[in-house]
């Protein structure tokens, strides 16, 4: 249990610290960063698979076009999430990224209801309504919908939905996604590089290339830590830990990058934080009630 909490905590803290890493790549466009992230992530996970000798699952993938199709969709959603997140970080919208990941648990409730026929409890519906009110308030008062936050939340929410219905582990799933994305990314990088026919991006110095290469392990390691933690501790505990990432992002956006946190944005965040408190408290109460019921049933059996 303690090791599982340590793994999960490490994953969410690392995800929260991502702006410090991707700010080092501001010399490159968000699209170029994402393309490099695809290529170097594949290189890293292939090394991990080789060390662990875990390639047998590729045979199952070749024999299942449906599984391959699901992971093609999840790969596109993951790429969209990476692109929107990196653009947000490198263009002064860290708070929007934070908002997106605060909204995510409630987006998951809605997606589970629509696509998996899950039935949220009354308190979960109330939490969803509060969060929607916060988003609507920000849209009305600021004159714009927080599209970037919604895009980050929706792409990762749908990505999670696709991964929930696909039967591959975290390492294998990420390997397949990057295996599908990396060849296209490599072609795009060669085409748009300084010596390519497209010549869309400038030549980069050693510092930028170092961070391009490091984007592979930086992407994969938190995911592997998350998978290790999820196997060792209850999902309710992981649910509480997931708020660490957007909390770190919000603090960094306000205190490190001096993004404004007043007026409609502050009120909207207050609505969403209230929704998350309600959502988490209800989940904790329901979990304890279920555990108490099982204990009572075992004692009286």
């Amino acid at each position: 249990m303690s090791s599982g909490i340590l793994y999960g905590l490490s994953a969410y803290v690392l995800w929260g610290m991502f702006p410090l890493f991707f700010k080092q790549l501001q010399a490159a466009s968000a699209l170029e960063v994402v393309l490099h992230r695809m290529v170097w992530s594949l290189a890293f996970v292939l090394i991990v698979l080789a060390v662990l000798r875990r390639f047998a699952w590729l045979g199952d993938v070749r024999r299942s076009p449906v599984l391959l199709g699901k992971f093609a969709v999840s790969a596109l959603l993951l790429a969209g999430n990476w692109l929107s997140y990196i653009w947000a970080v490198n263009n002064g919208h860290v708070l929007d990224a934070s908002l997106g990941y605060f909204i995510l648990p409630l987006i998951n409730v809605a997606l589970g209801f629509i696509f998996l026929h899950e039935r949220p409890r009354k308190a979960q519906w109330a939490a969803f309504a509060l969060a929607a009110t916060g988003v609507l308030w920000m849209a009305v008062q600021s004159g714009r919908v927080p599209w970037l936050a919604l895009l980050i939340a929706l792409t990762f929410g749908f990505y999670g939905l696709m991964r929930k219905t696909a039967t591959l582990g975290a390492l294998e799933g990420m390997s397949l996604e990057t295996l599908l994305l990396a060849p296209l990314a490599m072609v795009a990088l060669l085409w748009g590089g300084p010596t390519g026919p497209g010549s869309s991006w400038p030549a980069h110095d050693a510092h930028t290339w170092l961070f391009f290469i490091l984007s592979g392990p930086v992407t994969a390691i938190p995911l592997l830590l998350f998978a290790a933690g999820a196997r060792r501790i209850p999902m309710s505990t992981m649910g509480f830990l997931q708020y660490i990432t957007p909390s770190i992002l919000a603090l960094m956006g306000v205190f490190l990058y001096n993004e404004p946190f007043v007026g409609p944005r502050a009120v909207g965040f207050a609505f969403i934080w209230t929704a998350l408190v309600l959502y988490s408290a209800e989940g904790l109460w329901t979990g304890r009630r279920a555990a108490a019921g099982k204990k009572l049933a075992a004692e009286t059996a």
Side-chain angles (χ1 to χ4, degrees), residues 128-138 268 271-272:
F128 184 81
L130 276 172
T133 301
V135 173
L136 183 62
W137 170 268
M138 284 188 280
F271 271 108
I272 291 161

Side-chain angles (χ1 to χ4, degrees), residues 21-43:
F21 179 87
F22 287 109
K23 286 282 188 182
Q24 303 300 314
L25 290 168
Q26 287 183 300
S29 69
L31 178 58
E32 187 181 6
V33 174
V34 169
L35 295 174
H36 274 283
R37 194 176 182 185
M38 294 171 185
V39 172
W40 296 111
S41 294
L42 176 61

Side-chain angles (χ1 to χ4, degrees), residues 16 19-20 23 88-89 92-99 245-261 265 269:
L20 296 176
K23 286 282 188 182
V89 166
H93 294 279
V94 174
L95 279 175
D96 283 320
S98 169
L99 177 60
T245 296
S247 298
I248 293 173
L249 291 175
L251 291 171
M252 291 176 69
V254 173
F255 296 107
L256 185 59
Y257 300 121
N258 300 313
E259 294 184 21
F261 190 69
R265 174 178 274 179
F269 264 83

Side-chain angles (χ1 to χ4, degrees), residues 90-168:
N90 285 348
N91 287 273
H93 294 279
V94 174
L95 279 175
D96 283 320
S98 169
L99 177 60
Y101 288 111
F102 273 125
I103 295 172
L104 178 60
L106 304 166
I107 292 291
N108 288 337
V109 171
L111 293 177
F113 173 73
I114 296 169
F115 294 101
L116 302 178
H117 308 294
E118 297 175 352
R119 291 294 176 262
R121 296 178 291 272
K122 290 181 179 179
Q124 291 178 317
W125 278 123
F128 184 81
L130 276 172
T133 301
V135 173
L136 183 62
W137 170 268
M138 284 188 280
V140 171
Q141 295 298 317
S142 65
R144 66 178 185 88
V145 176
W147 289 114
L148 189 55
L150 289 174
L151 181 62
I152 289 171
L154 287 169
T155 51
F156 203 78
F158 275 102
Y159 171 74
L161 179 67
M162 294 300 301
R163 288 301 304 270
K164 188 177 180 67
T165 59
T167 55
L168 281 181

Side-chain angles (χ1 to χ4, degrees), residues 55-235:
F55 288 103
W57 57 274
L58 285 170
D60 296 330
V61 171
R62 286 198 300 269
R63 290 188 292 270
S64 177
V66 173
L67 182 64
L68 190 61
K70 285 183 178 181
F71 272 91
V73 174
S74 71
L76 291 174
L77 288 166
L78 184 62
N81 180 262
W82 286 356
L83 182 61
S84 53
Y85 177 86
I86 293 170
W87 189 92
V89 166
N90 285 348
N91 287 273
H93 294 279
V94 174
L95 279 175
D96 283 320
S98 169
L99 177 60
Y101 288 111
F102 273 125
I103 295 172
L104 178 60
L106 304 166
I107 292 291
N108 288 337
V109 171
L111 293 177
F113 173 73
I114 296 169
F115 294 101
L116 302 178
H117 308 294
E118 297 175 352
R119 291 294 176 262
R121 296 178 291 272
K122 290 181 179 179
Q124 291 178 317
W125 278 123
F128 184 81
L130 276 172
T133 301
V135 173
L136 183 62
W137 170 268
M138 284 188 280
V140 171
Q141 295 298 317
S142 65
R144 66 178 185 88
V145 176
W147 289 114
L148 189 55
L150 289 174
L151 181 62
I152 289 171
L154 287 169
T155 51
F156 203 78
F158 275 102
Y159 171 74
L161 179 67
M162 294 300 301
R163 288 301 304 270
K164 188 177 180 67
T165 59
T167 55
L168 281 181
L171 175 60
E172 291 81 359
M174 185 179 178
S175 300
L176 181 54
E177 286 161 352
T178 52
L179 192 61
L180 293 169
L181 293 170
L184 299 175
M186 200 171 298
V187 170
L189 287 170
L190 293 173
W191 176 271
T195 60
S199 192
S200 304
W201 300 302
H204 296 295
D205 58 17
H207 175 272
T208 301
W209 271 102
L210 173 63
F211 278 85
F212 279 149
I213 295 170
L214 289 176
S215 67
V218 163
T219 297
I221 288 172
L223 183 61
L224 299 178
L225 288 170
F226 170 82
R231 287 195 298 268
R232 288 169 171 82
I233 59 177
M235 286 306 296

Side-chain angles (χ1 to χ4, degrees), residues 1-7 232-233:
M1 181 73 169
S2 59
S3 64
I5 291 175
L6 181 61
Y7 286 135
R232 288 169 171 82
I233 59 177

